[in-house]
Amino acid sequence: MREYGLFINGEWMVTEEKCAVMHKATGEAVAMVSVAGKQEVTAAVSAAETAFKTIKMEPYQRYEILMKASQLLIKNLQQMAETLSMEVGKPIKEAFAEVRRAEQTLLLSAEEAKRMTGEMVPLQGAPGCGKRWAFTVRQPVGVVCAITPFNFPLNLSCHKIGPALAAGNSVVYKPASTTPLSAVLLCEIFAEAGLPQGYLNLVTGSGAKLGRYLTEEQRIGFYSFTGSPAVGKSLLQNTGMRRVALELGSNSANIVHHDANIKAAAEACARYAFANAGQVCISCQRVYVHRQVYEEFCAKAVAYTQKLVVGNPLEPDTDIGPMISEQEAERAEEWVKEAVAQGAGILTGGKRRNAWFEPTIMTHVQPQMKVVCQEIFAPVFSIVPYEDIQEAIQFVNDSVYGLQAGVFTNSMDIAKQCALQLEVGGVMINDGATFRTDNMPYGGIKDSGLGKEGPQYAVREMTEEKLIVFA
Ligand code: NAP
C-alpha cells in the first residue's frame, strides 16, 4: 500500500503516526497518509513564513506558475478524477467535472496575479487637500492557512491556494482527513509547476487537533475555511484579530412559481439535490412550489429521480455513489425516519444500503423537522406547497442559513421581488440555488459564512489595502 508524507518546505516528510485512507465504495484502505503533530505544524508555518519573507515572486512569475499548474491538472486529469472518485465516493463523471473546474479556478487565479490593483483616492476633494495625491495598493497578508472539506476537495482547495498564491502569499494547507490524496497530488503539481519551496505546505491529520495548533500559530495572517458552521464558528472564536473567510453550510431553497417551465424546474431541482449524493453546500434541500403546479412538479421530480443510477462511483453511468461514510448515511436515514414519524411522507427513495442512501423526495414536512431546518447534506429534498409568493419568500428566509436560493418564474415582477427580498448571498433566476461557476462572487450570509470566494474576490480578502498619500 502506498504511503504519503507531509509536504513541508518543498520536501516530502513521513511521520511515524499514519492514518488510512479508505476507498469509499469498497471500504478498503487504499493508502496511508502521515499525521502531523504540533512540531510539523510549526515547521510548515516556519517554511511558509521564510518563503514569504525571503523569496520574492513577481506577479508575472505567479501568473506563470498558476497557469502551469492548471495545465498540469489537465495533463493528470484521469489520475486526479479517479483519485477524487475513490476518496470521496463521487461519481466519476462528476469527478472529471471537478478537475475541469479546478483547472478554471487556477487559470482565473493566474489572471488575477497580473491585475492586482488598488485605486486612486480623490483626496483633493477634501478642504485644504488640493495638492495631495493619494492611492491604495494591495499587499499580501503573508501566511494563509487553507482548511478544506471533503466534498469538493480539489476545486475548493484551488479556490484557496490559487488566490492566495496569486496575491503573493504563502500557504499552509490542511485538507479533510477523509480526502487527503487529491491534496497530495495537488502539491506534486505545484512543485512540478515550479512553485518555490515553502510557498505551499501540506499538513494532514485530524482537524480537531491540527485546528488548535494552526489557530495558536500567530504567524498565520489569514484563515480561509470551508466546512461546517460549527467548526467555522469555533475557528472564528480562536483566531482573535486575524482575518478569516468562512464558507459554511446551508439548507438551500428554491421557489417554483406557477408560471415557470415545471418540467425543467423539477428536473433541475432533482439533479441539484442528488449531485455528489447531496453532499454539496448549495444542494437543493427545500423546494417551495406554487399550489397550482404542486402535483405536476412532484410527479415530474419523481419520474426524473427514479431514472437515476445508484451504484459504483467508478462506473461511467453512475449518478449516485456512496456518501462519505456509512455513519453519515445512517444519520441521514435517522433524520428521514424521524420526519416520517412526525407525519412527513416519502414520494420516492428513503432507504439505505451501507453508505448508499437512495435519492429521496419528501412531502408534508414541517419547518421544525431536521430534514428542513438543519443541513441534511445527503441526497434528500422536500417539496412544500405555497399559496402566494410572499409566503414562499418567508419560507425561504425562515432559516439560520443564507447561502444561495433559486427562483423559477417567467414573471419579471416575481423575479425582482425574490431577488430583492431573499436573505442569501446569491439569487439564481430560472436556475437552482446550486448553480455555481468559479468566477462568480460566492459566499453566504447568516450562518452560511463570511467573505466571498471566486479568485477575483478572494484575492481582495487575502490582501491588505494600504493607503499612500503624497503631501
Ligand atoms: P468539517 O467537518 O467542518 O471539516 C472541514 C475541515 O475542517 C476539514 O479539513 C476538517 O478536518 C477541519 N476541521 C475539523 N475540526 C476542526 C477544528 N476544530 N479546527 C479547524 N479545522 C477543523 O466539514 P466537512 O464535513 O468536511 O464538510 C461539510 C461541510 O462543509 C458542510 O457543512 C458543507 O455545507 C460545508 N461546505 C461549504 C461550502 C461553501 O463554499 N460554503 C463548500 C463545501 C462544503 P477533518 O476532516 O480532519 O475533521
Side-chain angles (χ1 to χ4, degrees):
M1 194 183 309
R2 280 204 66 176
E3 285 190 15
Y4 297 94
L6 314 174
F7 187 61
I8 298 179
N9 207 23
E11 310 224 321
W12 292 98
M13 177 199 281
V14 174
T15 58
E16 227 160 79
E17 190 185 345
K18 300 203 177 42
C19 166
V21 184
M22 312 314 262
H23 189 307
K24 302 304 180 293
T26 64
E28 285 163 11
V30 287
M32 299 299 286
V33 174
S34 284
V35 171
K38 189 167 175 54
Q39 204 183 329
E40 289 78 24
V41 168
T42 305
V45 178
S46 298
E49 187 192 31
T50 305
F52 177 71
K53 288 189 171 160
T54 61
I55 310 172
K56 176 92 180 124
M57 273 208 294
E58 296 298 339
Y60 195 77
Q61 189 187 356
R62 295 172 345 223
Y63 159 79
E64 286 185 310
I65 290 168
L66 285 159
M67 282 302 280
K68 179 85 183 148
S70 75
Q71 288 154 5
L72 287 171
L73 263 184
I74 294 306
K75 194 172 160 204
N76 293 286
L77 177 70
Q78 188 73 28
Q79 185 194 10
M80 193 55 115
E82 281 171 9
T83 303
L84 284 175
S85 178
M86 186 185 65
E87 72 175 356
V88 183
K90 184 178 290 238
I92 189 75
K93 55 189 171 191
E94 292 184 23
F96 277 115
E98 181 174 349
V99 184
R100 292 209 168 87
R101 281 186 60 184
E103 177 211 10
Q104 285 299 310
T105 304
L106 291 185
L107 204 142
L108 288 161
S109 302
E111 288 164 350
E112 288 310 315
K114 290 201 294 188
R115 57 182 180 222
M116 256 177 57
T117 182
E119 60 183 24
M120 292 302 295
V121 182
L123 227 57
Q124 294 85 351
C129 284
K131 286 195 182 141
R132 284 177 203 267
W133 185 57
F135 57 93
T136 63
V137 290
R138 291 210 162 264
Q139 295 190 311
V141 292
V143 180
V144 168
C145 175
I147 304 179
T148 53
F150 75 81
N151 60 338
F152 287 87
L154 176 65
N155 192 34
L156 295 178
S157 298
C158 290
H159 266 288
K160 302 184 180 317
I161 296 167
L165 295 177
N169 299 294
S170 57
V171 179
V172 175
Y173 170 30
K174 150 69 187 109
S177 297
T178 43
T179 57
L181 300 181
S182 48
V184 167
L185 290 178
L186 188 61
C187 289
E188 284 174 352
I189 280 174
F190 270 108
E192 193 183 337
L195 186 70
Q197 63 180 44
Y199 262 94
L200 176 60
N201 304 276
L202 171 71
V203 286
T204 42
S206 136
K209 216 158 93 185
L210 296 194
R212 200 173 73 239
Y213 304 146
L214 286 164
T215 45
E216 279 168 6
E217 254 300 347
Q218 298 300 316
R219 294 174 293 170
I220 294 175
F222 188 93
Y223 292 84
S224 178
F225 173 83
T226 300
S228 59
V231 175
K233 284 181 185 174
S234 79
L235 197 76
L236 195 59
Q237 275 169 0
N238 296 330
T239 44
M241 291 291 282
R242 271 90 50 75
R243 298 216 331 247
V244 173
L246 301 176
E247 301 292 339
L248 310 177
S250 187
N251 58 349
S252 295
N254 295 287
I255 294 176
V256 180
H257 206 52
H258 57 72
D259 55 10
N261 177 335
I262 302 306
K263 181 167 187 282
E267 295 188 356
C269 288
R271 191 173 70 248
Y272 283 146
F274 304 134
N276 203 23
Q279 300 162 117
V280 180
C281 50
I282 34 178
S283 188
C284 160
Q285 184 171 334
R286 301 176 287 152
V287 185
Y288 299 104
V289 180
H290 194 277
R291 192 173 290 284
Q292 214 174 300
V293 290
Y294 175 76
E295 296 298 337
E296 182 188 354
F297 181 93
C298 290
K300 294 209 155 81
V302 168
Y304 178 89
T305 302
Q306 289 178 342
K307 284 192 215 128
L308 295 173
V309 178
V310 180
N312 178 353
L314 283 160
E315 293 293 333
D317 293 336
T318 296
D319 297 303
I320 314 229
M323 290 180 62
I324 192 68
S325 65
E326 190 163 342
Q327 213 181 347
E328 274 297 287
E330 280 168 357
R331 177 196 52 80
E333 186 183 29
E334 262 172 45
W335 287 21
V336 168
K337 280 188 176 160
E338 188 183 287
V340 170
Q342 292 167 2
I346 294 179
L347 285 183
T348 186
K351 294 197 197 68
R352 180 183 67 81
R353 184 178 53 82
N354 306 324
W356 277 259
F357 197 76
E358 285 178 351
T360 300
I361 304 182
M362 305 197 72
T363 55
H364 300 92
V365 293
Q366 296 300 325
Q368 74 285 358
M369 291 176 177
K370 286 190 192 126
V371 293
V372 176
C373 68
Q374 296 191 26
E375 181 182 33
I376 188 149
F377 222 55
V380 179
F381 80 98
S382 301
I383 310 176
V384 177
Y386 69 84
E387 303 293 339
D388 72 80
I389 195 66
Q390 220 38 60
E391 185 190 17
I393 291 171
Q394 262 169 28
F395 280 145
V396 176
N397 290 345
D398 179 21
S399 171
V400 294
Y401 299 112
L403 197 41
Q404 294 198 148
V407 181
F408 294 86
T409 180
N410 272 324
S411 151
M412 269 308 277
D413 282 348
I414 296 286
K416 269 166 70 185
Q417 209 174 330
C418 292
L420 294 176
Q421 292 184 31
L422 290 174
E423 296 164 359
V424 287
V427 178
M428 310 299 128
I429 306 293
N430 280 323
D431 206 340
T434 318
F435 173 78
R436 182 181 183 186
T437 186
D438 295 290
N439 58 355
M440 70 191 216
Y442 177 76
I445 60 170
K446 304 197 222 171
D447 279 5
S448 291
L450 289 177
K452 294 282 181 207
E453 279 198 344
Q456 180 188 346
Y457 309 92
V459 159
R460 284 191 210 151
E461 307 262 351
M462 294 175 179
T463 48
E464 297 289 357
E465 189 170 27
K466 184 191 275 179
L467 173 71
I468 299 172
V469 180
F470 281 75

